[in-house]
Amino acid sequence: MIDYTEKIPNNVDLGRDRGLQRALEHWQPAYMGWWYDMGPNESHNYEVYLRTATSVEPDGWAQFGYVKMPEYRWGIFLQPRDAQREVNFGIHKGQAAWQEVPGEYRSILRRVIVTQGDTEPASVEQQRLLGSSCPSMYDLRNIFQVNVEEGRHLWAMVYLLHRYFGRDGREEAEALLARRSGDADNPRILGAFNEPTPDWLAFYMFTFFTDRDGKFQLCALAESGFDPLARTCRFMLTEEAHHMFVGETGITRIIKRTCEVMKEHKLEDPAQVRALGVIDLQTIQRYLNFHYSVTLDLYGSDVSSNAANYFTSGLKGRFRETKLEDDHVLSEAEYPVYEVIGDKIVKKNVPALTALNERLRDDYIEEIADGVARWQRVIDEAGIPFTLKLPHKGFHRAIGNFAGHHIGINGEVLTAEDWKKRQDEWLPNAADEKFVQSLMTGRVVEPGKFANWIAPPVRGINSKPLDFEYVRFN
Ligand code: BYC
């Protein structure tokens, strides 16, 4: 169980390590300062119907109730330790899982933890202003739930930095509160976390596409031979599921509403669809293209010696590593990657160890394709002749083998000039953004009411009705 009587709720017996407790209690006000500055705008007095973790057991960990977000009990929760656990891959395979950081891996492990940690506050910053244009109280409550949990995920990484990395860990923890999404001088580490999230269509796309990168990266880190990292990531994954749910159902509801209106008025022309105050499917496709491609970049280079090192040292595994049937060392195996040669995209086999980023990206793409197929079903059921498509893997990429090339939506290798000519057709253009924002000029917060451009969800939170007062504004 989690001890909520402590200043910092935890299940790691924090009270027994006074030095660590003091260091974290010192970081806590800095975190609160960051939350007041960069957390959801104007929300500090709202009482929000949030779930709070009460236990790390898979059943019954959630408790629901009204909480003012600055009073949310952010804390440190690790899954219980399995004393038998081993390092399951790489050159240390078969050794007992590490409870302390192996000296030789200190700096690369710290880098992975910092990179993971950096994304969490970044996403809160990106979503900071969205409350003022929410489509319903239900959605407002959901974004706040996502935000407090991203805050907790930051706590998870900061605990590891403080507990296992001494002074440089503490410095990194401070730097995590100093970088800012999109800041020219001190940006967040990874590309997608410096992109704006200007509207709710972008928010749902982000939680569907980018939070799912979170899932896959956390799954890979949950395999880590460094046991405290594995245990904290396992618990983070239970929270991540809700974030992806928000994204998937958010887009489903937008598509559903658009299709309803198209069907009712028997029209397909995007301009006419827009005139009825819903988002045309073509715009949804362009947002999809953007969020998919910037998220693919988050997996890093297709061929990466960093990725090989992470794996060989037992620090970061593959998706579902222990369920895979091979030697878990990958000294002989190969894996296909793609390269642009002249005007063609060519497949090439490389040592599997070096292609682990690409492999994780491929695992991700498989899951994404299933989600997009579920969205498609909504369109098909409405009888509307429109097909949502995932762009080619090389489209609009800035990291890896496709970076610097101009790949079209179907994988055609183009000149910079030809690509540019079609950019507005493929990616959200200024008119799209302006239109989407014109639908979201104010917030809809009457209980049970939803903005015209989105269908209500199938059910409320924690079996509450849709007209439940999910947020009290005071
Ligand atoms: N943007 O060999 P390379 C989440 C850098 S999301 C900018 O290609 P590597 C969440 C890279 O850092 C999950 N820079 O890549 C979601 C390296 O720089 P240094 C986040 C990039 O190292 C929603 C250089 O390029 N977690 O949790 O094999 C809401 C060459 O590196 C990018 C993780 O990512 C980019 N897109 O792999 C809230 C897990 N890509 O070090 C939360 C931890 C690469 O040479 N991170 N670079 O200066 C990792 O495992 C790895 O750092 C990466 C990159 C997979 C990201």
Side-chain angles (χ1 to χ4, degrees), residues 54-68:
T54 49
S55 135
V56 291
E57 303 307 326
D59 48 348
W61 67 274
Q63 182 195 305
F64 285 83
Y66 286 101
V67 180
K68 283 188 182 174

Side-chain angles (χ1 to χ4, degrees), residues 37 77 126 149 158 186 188-189 241 251 271 373 384 394:
D37 288 348
F77 316 129
Q126 288 169 298
E149 287 175 356
V158 164
N186 197 12
R188 293 294 172 185
I189 297 171
I251 299 293
I384 290 171

Side-chain angles (χ1 to χ4, degrees), residues 116 119-120 122-123 126-127 146 150 190-197 202-218 240 243-244 247-248 287-288 290-299 364 368 375:
Q116 177 63 49
T119 63
E120 316 289 1
S123 66
Q126 288 169 298
Q127 295 161 16
V146 169
E150 300 300 9
L190 298 174
F193 294 91
N194 290 303
E195 297 288 347
T197 309
F203 168 68
Y204 296 126
M205 289 288 179
F206 181 94
T207 40
F208 178 79
F209 285 104
T210 310
D211 277 85
R212 198 174 307 273
D213 170 51
K215 168 184 166 179
F216 278 78
Q217 298 292 350
L218 289 174
E240 203 64 52
H243 307 182
M244 292 181 294
E248 175 157 348
Y287 271 64
L288 178 159
F290 176 78
H291 287 272
Y292 177 62
S293 56
V294 297
T295 305
L296 289 185
D297 275 342
L298 290 176
Y299 289 84
Y364 165 84
I368 284 290
W375 290 338

Side-chain angles (χ1 to χ4, degrees), residues 352-381:
L353 258 186
T354 62
L356 288 167
N357 287 341
E358 182 69 356
R359 178 170 179 152
L360 194 61
R361 183 164 27 236
D362 287 340
D363 291 331
Y364 165 84
I365 291 174
E366 213 180 297
E367 199 174 283
I368 284 290
D370 291 344
V372 173
R374 287 190 291 275
W375 290 338
Q376 185 61 43
R377 230 173 286 152
V378 180
I379 303 175
D380 294 344
E381 277 164 15

